[in-house]
Amino acid sequence: MQLIFKIAWRNIFRHKGRSIIIGIILFLGALLMTVGSSVISGMDRGLEKNIVNGFLGDIVIIPEKEKSDNILFKLYGESVDTITNYKDIKKQLIKEDDLKDFLPVGKNVTTVLNEEDGDPGFTMVLGVDFKEYCNFFPDNFQLVEGDIKNGEGKQAVIKQKMVENQETGIVIPLKTREDLYDQMNVWLIPEKSRLVEENLSEDAKDNRSELKIKNTAVFMGMSSTNSTSDIRLTVKGIIKYSALNTIWGHFAIMDIESYRKCLGYFGASEKLDIIDEEKKKLLGLETDSIENLFGSTDVLVSDSGNVEVADIDFSKKEVSVVPTSRNGSSTNVDLEAGVYNLVFVKLKDNINLEDGVKRLNSTLSSSKLGVRAVTWKKASGFIGSMATIIKGALFLFVAFLFFVAIIIIVNTLTMAAIERTTEIGMMRAIGARKAMVTGMFIGETSILSGLFGGIGLVVGIAIAQLIPLFNITSENDIVQLLFGGDTFHPFLSMGDILVVIFELIVVTLITVIYPIIVAINITPLDAISRD
Amino acid sequence: MNIIEIKELTKNYPLGSTIVHALRGIDFNIASGDFLSIVGPSGSGKTTLLNIIGCIDNASSGSVNIGGVEITKLNDKEITDIRLHKIGFIFQTFNLIPVLDVLENVEFPLLLMKNRSKSEVKKRAESLIDAVGLSEHIKHRPSELSGGQRQRVAIARALVTNPDIVLADEPTANLDSATGEQILELMKEMNRKEKTTFIFSTHDSNVIKYAGYVLKIKDGKMVN
Ligand SMILES: Nc1ncnc2c1ncn2[C@@H]1O[C@H](COP(=O)(O)OP(=O)(O)O)[C@@H](O)[C@H]1O
Ligand SMILES: [Mg+2]
């Protein structure tokens, strides 16, 4: 063993040129593999952190009628089906051991009416109970314009406004504001605040003198199953999501009551309008299906804006109204009785995502709640698949490089074997077994890959550690996906490093197989017949 | 006592569509401790015969018995072991492992045998290096030695395992005649000292004078 190692070691120095070629290839291979896997790991971790903790939770419960799991980025304008039995779902979710928390939300596309005779705008919105939302996603956005003075731009400012002061309104991300400006030529700013010049988009700056500035806008739901209604909302703040701002920035957030009104989910009178003529005929005859569609309890908002809870019994065409006061005792119970589109779910830390979603789905389907659970990866549609594509592309790239590397190394080593025919044949003649020849080749390649691959690995780890220090950021959606967030933050776990080492060993073994076959088939005769 | 017994040995090489009869029936015995020279012109079959005795080529027919073992019917591992334990080789050139120094080259077969301690191996190798007169070059690599010195190392290495036979195929062919004679002297001396059987081939009739016995072959046949 020591002898084999000695010979292998010295042969490396004897054939310096060849060793350096193989060494450089192994160095680059290990380096690329390490950096590549740190990028992938960083992306995975970043996406998971920024999607799970920043926008969706681990699992999204969606209406069963939704054909696609991709609920977040449905074809623009297509509306999401409703969840009308949230209270029943909640009863079930509370019993689930796997879950840490859950949050019902409305999610749809709204039209923003143009009051200046221009084109309308469009934006995706979430309808949330701000108190619950801010608890579920603490500090996932900052206030960049608005009533910043007493909260330093923290989410808490909005929370205080919307929860403690019981205000209604909308918060709009920077990105959405720019999009709306492009569409409508109207620049939105929060109430009671002034234009912040440096936040103007390039186009808006160019148009500074004629800029139409507003702090309210009229939002109209675009729901295919319901008739639409509109609502004027005050802009409570311009926000920036803490991560993946360019992606989440397409989503404005409004309070759930306004959301329901906007989407036309609300109100006894509106409720009847919701049902178009054809449906009315059908539904009017079949009580069960009506109840299935809307549930037995709904939150209603009258035209005057008051929130009311009503038990609607369509069969009797009677409405019993329980009045509540906007300024007084509007409670969670009231809100939760209403219509939602989705429920975001967070799993406990130790629960595996796929297992968790499987278990949740089996309870959901057995309790016939008309909803199903999908993972954040599926729910986020193209984000999840883009991540997979980026990963796949990186993998293919690395695999291709390795393929080329393996071919070069195999070629070089095979030439080395042939070059050493006399030497090997002579060794065999004086009693060296095939195992010894094999050992020599494995030894040489292992030393090279241990040394150069090891250096590559260490340099790769160093690069992965250094990159975050440069604080590389991007505003580009795709690049942000690659980063898994706003900043490029590669990450290497011990497992990743072990995988790289394992891959290096596999590559070493693969490259050495053919040269070994060539070498052990060298007979003493091959050496002698050269004389 | 015969260390080697050869009976009706033939060797044919296929060459394209024809067959080269390199050995056409060799019969002879070699006694232990002999210093035998195989002499014949180029192409007569000397190398072929030595290769078969040395277990690095196989016979087409006939039998070769070395120290009581019929070597024509062994597998690669057994053949390798016979080469390691019973035979020492001195080739014309390319005798030594380039990356090992003189001591390590001589130690090499002993280390392959794995049945001696490191210090024993070293002691044995050093004594043989001393015997071939290379004590001063013990740390030199083959590339730092002259042709004659390399052959001396080869002799030391061939003898280090105490083999039954040492085979040397034209060991002096690449040396000038003075050096060649020194090498043959040394072989002869080692033959006396170590009581090892030596078989060497040559096409140079000048060197025959060193031989104890001479086997003349021509066209693959023994001649008197
Ligand atoms: N591998 C081979 N293939 C074909 N013919 C061979 C081969 N090796 C040797 N021969 C032939 O066998 C004969 C004996 O060769 P060899 O034993 O090398 O003779 P010598 O060593 O006496 O010069 C020669 O005619 C040679 O051409
Ligand atoms: Mg010859």
Side-chain angles (χ1 to χ4, degrees):
Chain A
M1 207 52 214
Q2 209 190 341
L3 181 65
I4 293 174
F5 189 81
K6 193 196 283 177
I7 294 175
W9 177 256
R10 291 189 190 166
N11 266 322
I12 287 171
F13 286 94
R14 181 158 177 246
H15 307 280
K16 280 198 196 78
R18 191 164 59 214
S19 301
I20 286 172
I21 290 174
I22 295 176
I24 287 174
I25 291 169
L26 287 168
F27 166 80
L28 289 176
L31 180 70
L32 275 171
M33 224 158 36
T34 313
V35 174
S37 83
S38 77
V39 171
I40 289 176
S41 267
M43 175 175 79
D44 263 356
R45 253 173 48 123
L47 278 183
E48 178 140 9
K49 186 172 128 238
N50 293 325
I51 295 179
V52 171
N53 299 332
F55 202 81
L56 273 185
D58 296 289
I59 291 174
V60 182
I61 293 175
I62 67 175
E64 208 150 50
K65 284 193 201 127
E66 287 294 327
K67 284 193 200 76
S68 161
D69 289 345
N70 172 13
I71 205 77
L72 201 54
F73 295 100
K74 289 188 75 159
L75 211 59
Y76 213 77
E78 218 183 300
S79 69
V80 182
D81 215 318
T82 53
I83 291 176
T84 53
N85 56 341
Y86 174 65
K87 282 189 143 179
D88 298 334
I89 295 171
K90 183 179 179 180
K91 268 183 219 146
Q92 195 60 49
L93 294 183
I94 285 170
K95 286 186 238 159
E96 293 294 309
D97 283 339
D98 293 348
L99 309 188
K100 187 156 78 183
D101 201 0
F102 48 90
L103 173 79
V105 299
K107 184 257 155 187
N108 252 309
V109 174
T110 60
T111 311
V112 187
L113 300 184
N114 198 327
E115 297 160 278
E116 305 282 335
D117 285 340
D119 294 330
F122 300 92
T123 181
M124 292 197 267
V125 294
L126 291 183
V128 303
D129 175 345
F130 271 93
K131 184 178 167 200
E132 298 290 329
Y133 185 84
C134 295
N135 289 340
F136 197 78
F137 295 122
D139 278 318
N140 74 332
F141 64 74
Q142 300 143 26
L143 197 59
V144 290
E145 281 177 39
D147 192 8
I148 302 184
K149 58 180 183 296
N150 54 351
E152 297 295 323
K154 287 282 159 51
Q155 197 192 49
V157 181
I158 291 293
K159 188 176 169 186
Q160 191 198 353
K161 268 178 182 292
M162 307 302 274
V163 180
E164 281 150 38
N165 306 347
Q166 299 278 319
E167 293 178 29
T168 59
I170 187 165
V171 293
I172 295 177
L174 290 164
K175 173 98 180 132
T176 301
R177 174 168 66 177
E178 290 180 14
D179 289 348
L180 289 176
Y181 175 77
D182 293 343
Q183 294 159 3
M184 304 167 63
N185 230 7
V186 171
W187 188 256
L188 293 168
I189 62 167
E191 60 172 350
K192 296 174 215 152
S193 67
R194 291 218 218 108
L195 179 71
V196 180
E197 299 277 349
E198 71 249 31
N199 285 351
L200 285 173
S201 67
E202 291 303 317
D203 285 350
K205 267 180 201 153
D206 293 344
N207 219 5
R208 177 69 187 87
S209 54
E210 296 156 48
L211 202 61
K212 292 166 199 147
I213 299 167
K214 288 183 179 291
N215 52 28
T216 66
V218 178
F219 292 83
M220 189 172 84
M222 290 176 59
S223 150
S224 59
T225 51
N226 303 310
S227 74
T228 54
S229 62
D230 53 60
I231 181 170
R232 176 176 296 280
L233 288 174
T234 309
V235 178
K236 292 289 170 179
I238 298 296
I239 61 164
K240 180 177 189 296
Y241 286 94
S242 309
L244 293 177
N245 191 49
T246 39
I247 295 165
W248 303 147
H250 295 286
F251 287 86
I253 308 177
M254 54 174 80
D255 67 283
I256 184 72
E257 298 161 86
S258 304
Y259 173 81
R260 286 169 181 156
K261 172 136 180 77
C262 173
L263 267 291
Y265 294 152
F266 261 49
S269 53
E270 289 97 345
K271 183 72 90 178
L272 294 175
D273 294 340
I274 284 165
I275 305 156
D276 59 4
E277 285 308 310
E278 224 180 303
K279 269 187 186 156
K280 213 183 245 171
K281 264 186 230 159
L282 268 170
L283 297 174
L285 295 170
E286 293 202 27
T287 310
D288 284 353
S289 49
I290 294 169
E291 280 180 358
N292 281 346
L293 195 61
F294 299 108
S296 55
T297 315
D298 271 279
V299 175
L300 308 173
V301 172
S302 74
D303 265 342
S304 63
N306 288 329
V307 183
E308 296 154 338
V309 175
D311 281 314
I312 309 165
D313 189 341
F314 282 92
S315 59
K316 291 178 189 157
K317 299 265 189 276
E318 253 178 30
V319 176
S320 65
V321 175
V322 182
T324 57
S325 148
R326 158 151 300 178
N327 307 316
S329 56
S330 173
T331 62
N332 273 340
V333 180
D334 299 330
L335 291 176
E336 288 176 355
V339 179
Y340 293 99
N341 300 107
L342 309 170
V343 184
F344 295 161
V345 176
K346 274 187 189 165
L347 288 174
K348 286 185 181 151
D349 291 342
N350 56 343
I351 306 293
N352 172 281
L353 179 62
E354 299 298 333
D355 297 346
V357 82
K358 213 180 245 170
R359 281 197 288 269
L360 185 56
N361 259 325
S362 71
T363 24
L364 287 176
S365 68
S366 65
S367 49
K368 297 210 169 29
L369 290 162
V371 290
R372 69 174 190 272
V374 300
T375 60
W376 64 266
K377 287 176 188 168
K378 288 184 175 152
S380 59
F382 87 95
I383 295 186
S385 32
M386 272 308 293
T388 314
I389 288 168
I390 290 172
K391 251 182 175 174
L394 270 175
F395 175 79
L396 279 182
F397 177 69
V398 171
F400 173 75
L401 281 178
F402 263 95
F403 182 70
V404 174
I406 284 172
I407 286 180
I408 296 174
I409 296 175
V410 167
N411 200 34
T412 316
L413 285 176
T414 306
M415 272 163 52
I418 292 167
E419 229 172 77
R420 282 191 225 161
T421 297
T422 38
E423 192 183 323
I424 292 167
M426 183 267 299
M427 286 167 75
R428 295 277 286 127
I430 61 174
R433 290 196 183 165
K434 287 182 173 178
M436 167 139 198
V437 178
T438 306
M440 265 168 52
F441 272 79
I442 291 181
E444 258 177 70
T445 324
S446 304
I447 292 169
L448 285 175
S449 77
L451 208 69
F452 288 87
I455 296 172
L457 181 71
V458 170
V459 173
I461 293 171
I463 289 175
Q465 300 291 321
L466 285 176
I467 287 174
L469 301 182
F470 289 101
N471 201 31
I472 301 165
T473 59
S474 173
E475 296 285 315
N476 179 287
D477 295 23
I478 304 295
V479 178
Q480 282 204 354
L481 279 181
L482 179 68
F483 290 0
D486 298 352
T487 49
F488 190 29
H489 203 296
F491 172 81
L492 279 172
S493 67
M494 204 53 220
D496 294 326
I497 294 171
L498 289 178
V499 167
V500 171
I501 291 172
F502 175 76
E503 286 170 333
L504 208 58
I505 291 170
V506 169
V507 166
T508 307
L509 292 180
I510 288 174
T511 53
V512 91
I513 288 172
Y514 184 72
I516 283 176
I517 290 172
V518 170
I520 61 176
N521 281 317
I522 293 171
T523 65
L525 212 53
D526 292 324
I528 280 138
S529 55
R530 290 214 175 171
D531 294 5
Chain B
M1 197 195 102
N2 290 333
I3 190 77
I4 302 174
E5 293 180 359
I6 297 173
K7 285 198 186 76
E8 291 165 34
L9 178 65
T10 70
K11 176 68 185 179
N12 306 323
Y13 290 112
L15 190 70
S17 54
T18 62
I19 291 175
V20 179
H21 300 279
L23 297 176
R24 300 161 187 259
I26 305 282
D27 281 277
F28 74 99
N29 299 331
I30 302 166
S32 183
D34 270 359
F35 195 74
L36 176 83
S37 174
I38 299 173
V39 185
S42 194
S44 56
K46 305 180 295 291
T47 297
T48 306
L49 180 58
L50 280 175
N51 284 351
I52 292 171
I53 297 172
C55 302
I56 55 186
D57 202 353
N58 39 30
S60 297
S61 71
S63 88
V64 179
N65 192 302
I66 298 177
V69 180
E70 177 58 47
I71 59 152
T72 47
K73 296 184 173 62
L74 298 177
N75 67 25
D76 183 77
K77 231 180 195 163
E78 294 164 328
I79 288 265
T80 308
D81 275 353
I82 294 228
R83 287 201 295 259
L84 176 59
H85 293 273
K86 301 203 164 192
I87 301 167
F89 287 94
I90 302 163
F91 303 112
Q92 236 175 72
T93 50
F94 297 116
N95 262 301
L96 306 175
I97 298 165
V99 294
L100 300 183
D101 64 26
V102 168
L103 177 64
E104 289 162 340
N105 261 293
V106 177
E107 285 177 338
F108 186 80
L110 284 180
L111 292 172
L112 292 180
M113 289 168 98
K114 291 175 187 160
N115 57 2
R116 270 172 240 232
S117 75
K118 265 194 164 162
S119 59
E120 278 179 296
V121 167
K122 193 165 181 226
K123 220 170 126 197
R124 169 84 181 140
E126 278 171 346
S127 80
L128 275 158
I129 292 165
D130 196 36
V132 300
L134 284 176
S135 300
E136 311 216 318
H137 301 277
I138 204 154
K139 283 285 157 206
H140 289 173
R141 295 259 180 111
S143 58
E144 298 162 330
L145 302 175
S146 69
Q149 286 170 328
R150 282 182 218 170
Q151 290 307 71
R152 283 165 187 270
V153 180
I155 292 168
R157 191 201 48 205
L159 289 165
V160 79
T161 56
N162 263 323
D164 292 345
I165 344 157
V166 171
L167 300 173
D169 188 14
E170 307 204 31
T172 60
N174 281 17
L175 304 175
D176 62 74
S177 56
T179 316
E181 286 187 22
Q182 284 169 16
I183 291 299
L184 285 169
E185 295 275 11
L186 177 64
M187 281 167 57
K188 183 108 206 204
E189 188 191 328
M190 299 312 284
N191 166 253
R192 272 202 309 272
K193 266 197 204 158
E194 303 268 330
K195 308 257 182 294
T196 312
T197 313
F198 269 75
I199 307 174
F200 73 98
S201 71
T202 180
H203 62 267
D204 180 1
S205 36
N206 277 339
V207 304
I208 296 172
K209 60 181 181 238
Y210 293 95
Y213 296 89
V214 176
L215 179 75
K216 287 189 177 167
I217 61 170
K218 199 181 173 193
D219 295 332
K221 276 191 197 138
M222 305 200 303
V223 289
N224 290 330

